[in-house]
Amino acid sequence: MKNKFYITTPIYYVNAQPHIGHTYTTIAADVLARYHRDILGEPTFFLTGTDEHGAKIAEKAKEEKKELQVFVDEVAEEFVKAWRALNISNDNFIRTTDEKHMAAVQKALRYMYDKGDIYKGSYKGLYCRGCEQFKNEKDLIDGKCPDHKTEPEQMSEETYLFKMSKYQDKLLAKVKSDELKIRPEGKKNEMVSFIEKEGLQDVSFSRKNLAWGVPLPWDASHTSYVWADAFLNYLTGLGWKGPKDKCPKMWPAETQLMSKDILRVHATIWQAMLLSLDLPTSKELFIHGFFLADGQKMSKSLGNVIAPQDLVKKYGIDASRYLLMSATVFGSDGDIGWQKFDEKYNADLANGLGNLIARVSNILEKDSIKVNIKSGNDQALKKEFGKAMQNLRIDEALKILWGKLRQNDEKLSSAKPWEIKEIDAKKKILEPIAQDILNVAELLQPFMPETAEKIIKQFSAKQIKKGESLFPRI
Ligand code: MSP
């Protein structure tokens, strides 16, 4: 049977507008989805969406003096628009305020409650609203959450708890054996040592004094913990209606993408919920790097937040996709900024890809040289590229294609066909270069869909013509 491919991004909180961090994850998921869907021809499902409940969002709506549903509708629409503007090919956009999602969350929690995996108790401890997570003293630096630089609030209330401790051994075995793969390897080791050292405690799964959430079906004075509600999007986004439904055909996900900020909850609470629901755990959690903007964390107060629409305005859709995907090793943190983007745009796109195509097509047209080149002709390149993609080395896959382009650039510069008179001799130099350009363009489709299509069209003609300038210099 053919492999299937289900890929997810985290669902993003709607307390902030889409920024380049969300954009990075979403484009990466899109590139992988397009690779599996269009190049490998596998049944593929790509899910993204928005996380719209919880204290943080309720607070933000209040600050903006907006009615809650109106507020979340507006911001969710900004995410939809941003992804449309970047040519993102998601198969669904899930929102946690969607009624069908909420109904399924209620059924799932009911199932866990009836099973005895959710029980009434009380919780006393520290809560960071920014993370929407409970914190141990150990997690804090100078008493503050290291991610949000705020002091968590003391919370003490009646709550329903999820018996996560029950699943500790099962989960640890799955992580260790790679039945649940956590990648890169270093992140797996971190999670193994976390579970071994700290163990899995039961977690508070409901809030009594927070109306903005999914009411518990057996006690409407409580709403669901926002993460419990949010995680289930990965199932409801596939049309799952609750535990009575069969496991969706596309579940488990081949890859769940995210950054390190939310690995721990995904590796513990989410997987334990799946076990409690008698569903398979995820196949893989892949943790990509975290972006800093010119060395600093992006934040509104620092004024260094880069919005996806600013990128698109400056570089266009495909160049923006390229710049983000090539910015850093996928899986390592990286520093980004406008100057770096400008330099890379000029080097790789204007002078690299764009210039090579212009030089080759120019002579071919001017001298009316007809070439005979074929689609899908470089199996070695396809294999090398495929290996990088299967290992989620997205940046490496691009490097492989650009290596090929550079080789051809050098060939062209040293053979100097423009100084040669005989047409046949010129053709002998240019034909293999044109062939390599077509080979590269075919693999570039998942990254730069529109550009690749243009190049493929241009280089599939018997008489290749000079096209429009693809990437004008900045
Ligand atoms: N709503 C939760 C996720 C629930 S999933 C069931 C959440 N939302 S978030 O809006 O804060 O998104 C966090 C994710 O956005 C990160 O894990 C990462 O995928 C992406 N990024 C946000 N900022 C980022 C960077 N600066 N760099 C790279 N990716 C980042 O957490």
Side-chain angles (χ1 to χ4, degrees):
M1 210 189 75
K2 246 200 164 147
N3 292 330
K4 68 167 186 73
F5 189 69
Y6 177 32
I7 185 161
T8 65
T9 73
I11 47 170
Y12 306 113
Y13 284 130
V14 291
N15 65 317
Q17 300 284 320
H19 65 61
I20 208 166
H22 313 122
T23 310
Y24 185 56
T25 318
T26 308
I27 296 178
D30 187 56
V31 166
L32 290 162
R34 285 176 184 270
Y35 175 68
H36 284 266
R37 189 193 294 124
D38 302 334
I39 296 200
L40 300 181
E42 294 172 358
T44 294
F45 200 94
F46 164 21
L47 181 68
T48 188
T50 39
D51 191 351
E52 307 184 3
H53 287 129
K56 177 161 69 175
I57 285 154
E59 185 179 56
K60 183 76 189 174
K62 202 168 159 195
E63 224 178 273
E64 304 258 312
K65 299 194 173 56
K66 285 190 173 143
E67 204 220 305
L68 269 158
Q69 192 62 49
V70 172
F71 172 72
V72 299
D73 285 349
E74 280 175 9
V75 186
E77 184 56 27
E78 292 299 322
F79 277 90
V80 170
K81 276 204 290 215
W83 304 157
R84 214 179 283 140
L86 279 155
N87 208 355
I88 300 298
S89 68
N90 53 303
D91 295 288
N92 191 7
F93 186 95
I94 181 83
R95 299 183 52 193
T96 55
T97 54
D98 182 287
E99 268 173 37
K100 285 190 194 142
H101 167 83
M102 290 174 67
V105 169
Q106 287 192 317
K107 289 189 180 129
L109 294 175
R110 166 109 244 168
Y111 183 86
M112 293 164 70
Y113 180 67
D114 288 347
K115 201 176 174 179
D117 279 0
I118 293 179
Y119 61 93
K120 198 169 190 170
S122 64
Y123 185 87
K124 191 166 181 289
L126 300 166
Y127 192 80
C128 170
R129 200 175 275 204
C131 298
E132 295 280 14
Q133 282 174 46
F134 294 97
K135 297 279 161 182
N136 296 324
E137 292 286 354
K138 255 189 282 175
D139 299 328
L140 309 177
I141 296 175
D142 297 332
K144 290 183 175 159
C145 163
D147 281 346
H148 294 93
K149 313 270 184 275
T150 50
E151 271 177 38
E153 52 197 301
Q154 268 295 345
M155 240 171 62
S156 164
E157 61 182 28
E158 173 193 286
T159 186
Y160 288 89
L161 292 120
F162 170 41
K163 225 184 246 176
M164 184 156 73
S165 54
K166 174 175 160 188
Y167 296 103
Q168 173 174 324
D169 296 343
K170 241 189 190 165
L171 210 59
L172 185 60
K174 280 182 195 278
V175 175
K176 278 184 158 170
S177 69
D178 279 346
E179 192 184 326
L180 163 61
K181 262 200 268 172
I182 300 179
R183 290 290 182 275
E185 196 75 18
K187 293 286 187 273
K188 167 185 170 177
N189 300 338
E190 261 175 43
M191 284 323 304
V192 167
S193 95
F194 171 76
I195 302 174
E196 280 176 346
K197 286 206 190 100
E198 318 249 327
L200 295 188
Q201 324 298 327
D202 293 354
V203 312
S204 167
F205 242 39
S206 75
R207 297 288 306 270
K208 202 172 166 60
N209 300 311
L210 179 67
W212 187 238
V214 179
L216 298 187
W218 65 88
D219 182 348
S221 69
H222 284 249
T223 55
S224 160
Y225 176 38
V226 59
W227 277 97
D229 163 6
F231 282 134
L232 290 165
N233 92 84
Y234 299 134
L235 295 167
T236 59
L238 294 172
W240 185 76
K241 293 191 200 65
K244 286 223 174 81
D245 244 12
K246 272 206 221 102
C247 174
K249 261 202 332 268
M250 280 312 222
W251 187 260
E254 273 58 38
T255 297
Q256 301 211 262
L257 287 185
M258 68 201 72
S259 199
K260 58 188 175 188
D261 51 342
I262 55 176
L263 165 62
R264 196 191 282 180
V265 281
H266 273 83
T268 58
I269 304 177
W270 171 222
Q271 305 305 322
M273 282 175 77
L274 285 163
L275 291 173
S276 174
L277 290 166
D278 299 306
L279 288 168
T281 47
S282 312
K283 284 197 192 152
E284 175 180 86
L285 306 179
F286 193 97
I287 316 310
H288 65 64
F290 208 76
F291 276 164
L292 296 177
D294 296 317
Q296 285 182 300
K297 201 179 154 140
M298 279 181 281
S299 79
K300 243 191 222 157
S301 49
L302 288 173
N304 60 354
V305 180
I306 300 180
Q309 50 275 28
D310 298 341
L311 270 189
V312 175
K313 213 185 277 163
K314 183 156 188 199
Y315 306 110
I317 300 172
D318 280 358
S320 300
R321 293 170 61 104
Y322 176 83
L323 291 173
L324 286 184
M325 291 303 97
S326 63
T328 155
V329 171
F330 198 69
S332 307
D333 294 352
D335 198 32
I336 50 153
W338 289 108
Q339 199 189 332
K340 281 192 184 148
F341 285 145
D342 281 353
E343 284 165 11
K344 201 135 175 63
Y345 175 94
N346 282 333
D348 294 0
L349 299 175
N351 298 341
L353 180 63
N355 194 37
L356 177 67
I357 288 176
R359 289 208 288 170
V360 171
S361 58
N362 227 340
I363 316 178
L364 290 175
E365 178 174 356
K366 192 163 61 63
D367 294 338
S368 305
I369 302 173
K370 296 198 174 43
V371 292
N372 186 14
I373 60 178
K374 289 183 214 69
S375 143
N377 135 306
D378 191 340
Q379 289 308 318
L381 183 69
K382 208 169 170 178
K383 209 166 149 198
E384 203 191 347
F385 175 85
K387 197 170 151 208
M389 292 298 276
Q390 296 285 0
N391 291 331
L392 272 71
R393 280 300 310 278
I394 295 186
D395 54 301
E396 180 66 28
L398 281 176
K399 277 206 185 112
I400 291 166
L401 299 186
W402 257 256
K404 199 63 160 182
L405 294 173
R406 197 164 321 111
Q407 273 173 19
N408 281 287
D409 225 11
E410 284 162 11
K411 255 201 252 170
L412 194 66
S413 298
S414 69
K416 300 193 176 52
W418 49 89
E419 291 178 358
I420 296 175
K421 288 258 144 52
E422 311 85 75
I423 292 293
D424 273 356
K426 272 195 199 191
K427 179 171 170 172
K428 222 168 156 187
I429 299 164
L430 292 169
E431 198 170 49
I433 300 181
Q435 176 70 68
D436 272 351
I437 292 175
L438 181 64
N439 294 336
V440 167
E442 284 174 349
L443 296 175
L444 196 56
Q445 270 174 327
F447 290 89
M448 307 173 91
E450 285 174 354
T451 306
E453 201 187 306
K454 273 190 214 156
I455 305 173
I456 291 169
K457 213 165 151 209
Q458 185 185 5
F459 279 74
S460 298
K462 275 266 162 309
Q463 172 61 66
I464 294 170
K465 291 217 166 71
K466 186 177 175 238
E468 56 181 303
S469 160
L470 287 174
F471 303 105
R473 271 187 75 89
I474 283 184

